[in-house]
Amino acid sequence: MASQAPAATRPPDTEQRIFDAALTVFARKGRDGARLQEIADHAGINRALLHYYFRTKEQLYEAVFEHGCRQFMAGLSQSLRAEEGVEDCLRAFVYGYIDYIYEHQDMARLMLNECLCGGGVLERHLAAATEAREEVPGLLLEDRLRAAIGAGEIREIDLRHTLLTIVSACLFPFVALPTVRLFHSRAVEDFDRFLQERKAHIVDLLLAGLRPTEGVRRGKLA
Amino acid sequence: MASQAPAATRPPDTEQRIFDAALTVFARKGRDGARLQEIADHAGINRALLHYYFRTKEQLYEAVFEHGCRQFMAGLSQSLRAEEGVEDCLRAFVYGYIDYIYEHQDMARLMLNECLCGGGVLERHLAAATEAREEVPGLLLEDRLRAAIGAGEIREIDLRHTLLTIVSACLFPFVALPTVRLFHSRAVEDFDRFLQERKAHIVDLLLAGLRPTEGVRRGKLA
DNA sequence: AGACTGTTAAACGATTTGGATAACGCGAGG
DNA sequence: CCTCGCGTTATCCAAATCGTTTAACAGTCT
């Protein structure tokens, strides 16, 4: 296996280049739509070399997904460092999440692409990751929020849905970028600034939405 | 053109069956990943008949996207009937949005798939729709929210980001369903009930998050 | 009967995939 | 120094598949 003995003669970063190229192409064209030739071109290598490293297209996809998925989840968990207060914790989550997705947009798109065509592979890998007790990014925040509810720092609310809402708000703008661009002209002019605004907005809205209710009925404005 | 004279001899719903089949397959496999054979099988017809109705794969995709997109947007706008109060308006939007997406999941997936591979076609069609002064679903709610800010019914907040957050919270669970299932066991057991919970949660969180601040600093819990 | 429409079967050319082959460059080790 | 192994390229190949075209068939209407 080439991955086990990478530096036999020269140090070939070829495998990594293939990984990156395959990730990009698979993320855009999907498992079936991606062409090996396009991946090879993107990696600047011969098509035969793809078969040298990964015997078949299937194995290449599996490897890219497996490796990428594991690395993605691990890195994401790491980037979401635990903070002291709920507020800082939530802020760190949102900021860390968006920053991380920004650096790994292709992986996010690949996972979503898997979702679109059934999600069999994705489910398998995620299930394996959670079963292996690996850190699942959102669960730490959920635990922290649960504690905050107990302490009366935030109001009682369905945490599963809250977490899903947070992830949605952070992730969706990336995968739906072309649509977002139409209404958010700033997202096309200055994407970085748009993301900064987005982070602040999400945290702002969430903190207000989770603030303990002081005699105010839920689901009512005033 | 077959679409102009559908009932020359028999009333063949073939064209519609092709549309539906193509939508389903394109939504899952993407523009390039979709195979005409799979579409034909899904529609229960011969592969050659696809070319009889739509000359090429390109034209089939374009037709499905064009027609589906227009119908989708129009129907969505209609389902989001205007309410009197801001609160009812927002509730109607969230409930209507989720209900509508539920009935048109394939179209939502197709649009997202377009986003993943660049979004050129999607941008063109959406731009044409907005330019033609057609009703863009979110904009009505945005106007209503703006008025509510003026009336002091909700606090001052970036409406573009708020709207994006709302759409994200409603839409993302559909496209990321396989992932959601892992953490939301109810989404797999009883999807309808999950969606009911989801609607209520989103409205609840939003109303709380938009509630006018009474001397409380923004971005702070207490 | 003739014309027209929806439909199918069969075939064509081009592309894709998986794989094989030979050859080349180059470092490592005998 | 020579040889061997490994990464790499070029080239070719068989099989499958894809998109597309063509010819023929089966109804229906006039």
Side-chain angles (χ1 to χ4, degrees), chain B residues 18-69:
Chain B
I18 294 180
F19 247 89
D20 296 338
L23 177 59
T24 301
V25 176
F26 275 131
R28 278 160 180 70
K29 302 300 185 64
R31 182 185 205 136
D32 297 328
R35 303 289 118 122
L36 289 185
Q37 185 61 58
E38 195 176 350
I39 296 178
D41 292 345
H42 220 272
I45 58 164
N46 193 291
R47 214 169 69 248
L49 202 56
L50 289 180
H51 293 87
Y52 180 77
Y53 281 93
F54 310 89
R55 207 162 292 277
T56 74
K57 182 186 184 181
E58 202 75 14
Q59 288 183 39
L60 171 59
Y61 181 83
E62 210 78 25
V64 168
F65 200 93
E66 163 89 32
H67 182 265
C69 209

Side-chain angles (χ1 to χ4, degrees), chain B residues 2-153:
Chain B
S3 59
Q4 301 284 29
T9 57
R10 267 172 298 175
D13 57 339
T14 308
E15 192 171 8
Q16 188 59 42
R17 293 230 314 281
I18 294 180
F19 247 89
D20 296 338
L23 177 59
T24 301
V25 176
F26 275 131
R28 278 160 180 70
K29 302 300 185 64
R31 182 185 205 136
D32 297 328
R35 303 289 118 122
L36 289 185
Q37 185 61 58
E38 195 176 350
I39 296 178
D41 292 345
H42 220 272
I45 58 164
N46 193 291
R47 214 169 69 248
L49 202 56
L50 289 180
H51 293 87
Y52 180 77
Y53 281 93
F54 310 89
R55 207 162 292 277
T56 74
K57 182 186 184 181
E58 202 75 14
Q59 288 183 39
L60 171 59
Y61 181 83
E62 210 78 25
V64 168
F65 200 93
E66 163 89 32
H67 182 265
C69 209
R70 191 173 302 276
Q71 189 175 308
F72 179 78
M73 301 287 279
L76 183 53
S77 294
Q78 257 192 346
S79 77
L80 307 177
R81 67 197 183 289
E83 298 282 343
E84 269 297 315
V86 220
E87 196 177 313
D88 292 332
C89 194
L90 188 133
R91 198 189 316 275
F93 184 89
V94 170
Y95 278 63
Y97 207 108
I98 289 185
D99 282 338
Y100 192 77
I101 298 295
Y102 178 74
E103 299 292 335
H104 301 77
Q105 295 186 44
D106 280 340
M107 194 58 219
R109 293 202 182 91
L110 180 63
M111 294 174 71
L112 197 77
N113 220 319
E114 257 296 309
C115 283
L116 289 182
C117 60
V121 181
L122 179 59
E123 268 186 81
R124 249 183 31 226
H125 288 226
L126 284 186
T130 55
E131 194 179 337
R133 294 281 178 207
E134 295 181 28
E135 296 185 63
V136 177
L139 297 188
L140 299 100
L141 178 62
E142 187 179 340
D143 292 340
R144 188 64 190 82
L145 289 178
R146 197 185 336 276
I149 290 182
E153 294 175 308

